């Protein structure tokens, strides 16, 4: 079991706090136990928006958690309290993975955890973050940034994207997908190494590609072309490309390749199928083609990815979770 601690104090944004609590504090239906051990750490009583919160532990317990999450900080013009900064810094020094949601990046930056790293926050505050902390490389155009032990997200919905990314890293694509379905949101199943930036995925809805995208996902093993997609969508290839740009932010072929890579990741994580079989199942054709695209997209070859994932998730290959004293 992995301990996740929410670091809270007066002035936290309740939406981001609730997102983290929903993801890590509720066992999704269909997912085997154990789930995360979620605790809330803060002063005696905390005001988050109009809500009053009673933490489980003081901030001094943060260093005992495996993952520490700092929700959004409401007033970015106000310096975060010293005890919060000290506790977050101590948790990082103790080996915890430290995560900020939305403007929680201002807390991590003030604690010195983002110096020399790439980071993001809500787009409306990226300029202020960059000016106030010049040693941080602030990227205003991404959903979240993963530096390994320190992760930051943009605002609101991107906080959920990052939380799902954490679940995927810890529990794999299958569990992350199950959780995403329960939350009625699209899963973000990208792989990544020390640093990773996500690509937006279109949400379900009434758009021109709403019927096409599920159709494609059911046929990833087929050699689909842009003309095949346009024919299924009953539009010209030019109109298809325009709608793909609008809905997904990319081209039809690039979106299709991304879905093939995602499916390959899931098969590498959940099956013992050989690379040739996975190449066929994902429409890559040959193992050589799969390896080339996978290495370019994910950063490592498929075999390396499979070994790294299984060593991370095997119960005897990981460091035991650090539960809080007395638990």
């Amino acid at each position: 079991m992995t301990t996740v601690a929410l670091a809270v104090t007066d002035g936290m944004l309740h939406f981001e706090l609730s997102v983290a609590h929903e993801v890590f504090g509720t066992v999704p239906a269909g997912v085997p136990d154990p789930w995360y051990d979620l605790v809330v750490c803060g002063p005696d009583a905390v005001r988050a928006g109009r809500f009053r919160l009673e933490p489980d532990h003081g901030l001094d317990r943060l260093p005992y958690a495996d993952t520490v999450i700092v929700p959004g900080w409401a007033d970015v013009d106000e310096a975060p309290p010293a005890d919060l900064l000290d506790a977050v810094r101590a948790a990082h020094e103790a080996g915890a993975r430290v995560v900020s949601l939305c403007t929680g990046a201002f807390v991590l930056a003030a604690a010195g955890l983002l110096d020399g790293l790439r980071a993001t926050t809500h787009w409306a505050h990226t300029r202020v973050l960059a000016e106030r902390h010049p040693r941080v490389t602030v990227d205003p155009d991404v959903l979240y940034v993963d530096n390994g032990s320190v992760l930051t997200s943009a605002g609101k919905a991107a906080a959920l994207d990052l939380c799902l990314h954490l679940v995927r890293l810890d529990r794999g694509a299958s569990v992350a997908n199950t959780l995403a379905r329960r939350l009625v949101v699209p899963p973000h199943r990208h792989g990544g190494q020390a640093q990773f930036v996500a690509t937006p995925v279109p949400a379900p809805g009434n758009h021109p590609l709403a019927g096409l995208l599920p159709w494609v996902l059911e046929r990833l093993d087929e050699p689909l072309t842009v003309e095949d997609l346009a024919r299924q969508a009953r539009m010209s290839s030019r109109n298809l490309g325009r709608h793909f740009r609008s809905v997904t932010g990319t081209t039809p072929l690039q979106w299709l390749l991304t879905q093939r890579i995602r499916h390959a990741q899931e098969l590498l994580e959940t099956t013992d199928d050989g690379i040739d079989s996975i190449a066929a199942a994902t429409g890559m054709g040959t193992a050589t083609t799969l390896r080339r695209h996978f290495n370019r997209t994910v950063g490592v070859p498929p075999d390396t990815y499979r070994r790294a994932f299984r060593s991370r998730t095997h119960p005897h290959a990981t460091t035991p979770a650090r539960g809080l004293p007395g638990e």
Side-chain angles (χ1 to χ4, degrees):
M1 183 178 293
T2 300
T3 302
V4 174
L6 296 182
V8 301
T9 188
D10 285 340
M12 291 295 178
L13 296 174
H14 66 273
F15 179 86
E16 287 76 7
L17 193 156
S18 299
V19 163
H21 199 285
E22 176 67 19
V23 170
F24 300 104
T26 304
V27 183
V31 173
D33 289 336
W35 192 237
Y36 294 88
D37 178 21
L38 179 71
V39 294
V40 180
C41 300
D44 292 339
V46 172
R47 298 293 303 186
R50 296 184 177 181
F51 299 95
R52 186 176 185 275
L53 187 67
E54 294 284 348
D56 305 307
H57 303 280
L59 290 170
D60 59 328
R61 301 298 184 94
L62 291 185
Y64 297 97
D66 298 288
T67 298
V68 171
I69 297 179
V70 180
W73 182 246
D75 189 354
V76 298
D77 294 325
E78 180 181 347
D83 57 347
L84 175 62
L85 298 180
D86 290 341
V88 169
R89 194 180 297 116
H92 183 258
E93 292 173 354
R97 177 175 60 182
V98 181
V99 180
S100 69
L101 305 180
C102 193
T103 49
F106 282 82
V107 176
L108 269 57
L113 302 190
L114 299 181
D115 288 353
L117 298 180
R118 197 161 176 239
T120 194
T121 188
H122 192 289
W123 61 267
H125 304 290
T126 51
R127 182 181 59 81
V128 175
L129 182 64
E131 291 175 351
R132 190 172 302 167
H133 301 281
R135 297 184 64 185
V136 181
T137 302
V138 180
D139 191 335
D141 299 320
V142 297
L143 292 178
Y144 58 89
V145 177
D146 181 346
N147 292 293
S149 63
V150 180
L151 302 89
T152 56
S153 87
K156 301 304 178 185
L160 181 54
D161 292 329
L162 180 50
C163 288
L164 285 173
H165 176 62
L166 294 174
V167 172
R168 184 189 178 283
L169 289 176
D170 296 340
R171 305 301 171 94
S174 179
V175 172
N177 292 346
T178 298
L179 177 57
R181 283 193 294 270
R182 184 177 67 83
L183 296 173
V184 198
V185 296
H188 289 252
R189 301 186 290 105
H190 295 274
Q193 305 310 302
Q195 179 171 304
F196 172 80
V197 179
T199 300
V201 177
N206 185 22
H207 54 73
L209 304 181
L212 177 65
L213 301 187
W215 182 87
V216 174
L217 292 177
E218 294 176 356
R219 294 166 175 78
L220 292 178
D221 59 330
E222 300 179 11
L224 298 173
T225 65
V226 173
E227 289 72 24
D228 293 330
L229 272 60
R231 189 179 306 111
Q232 177 64 27
R234 298 181 180 179
M235 62 179 69
S236 68
S237 297
R238 176 173 294 184
N239 281 339
L240 180 73
R242 184 161 51 246
H243 286 306
F244 257 91
R245 286 284 186 186
S246 174
V247 174
T248 72
T250 188
T251 65
L253 284 181
Q254 185 56 51
W255 182 86
L256 178 59
L257 176 61
T258 299
Q259 309 316 309
R260 296 191 194 280
I261 294 295
R262 290 176 177 175
H263 188 36
Q265 287 177 300
E266 185 168 1
L267 292 175
L268 288 166
E269 296 172 9
T270 59
T271 75
D272 293 318
D273 294 350
I275 302 303
D276 287 312
S277 297
I278 293 177
T282 57
M284 295 287 190
T286 67
T288 300
T289 301
L290 171 60
R291 287 190 173 96
R292 182 174 70 252
H293 287 298
F294 196 95
N295 198 5
R296 185 176 62 188
T297 303
V298 180
V300 294
D303 307 274
T304 303
Y305 179 87
R306 171 176 272 167
R307 287 195 299 270
F309 176 84
R310 294 193 174 181
S311 67
R312 182 172 64 242
T313 57
H314 193 283
H316 300 296
T318 57
T319 302
R322 295 170 293 157
L324 300 181
E327 294 188 341

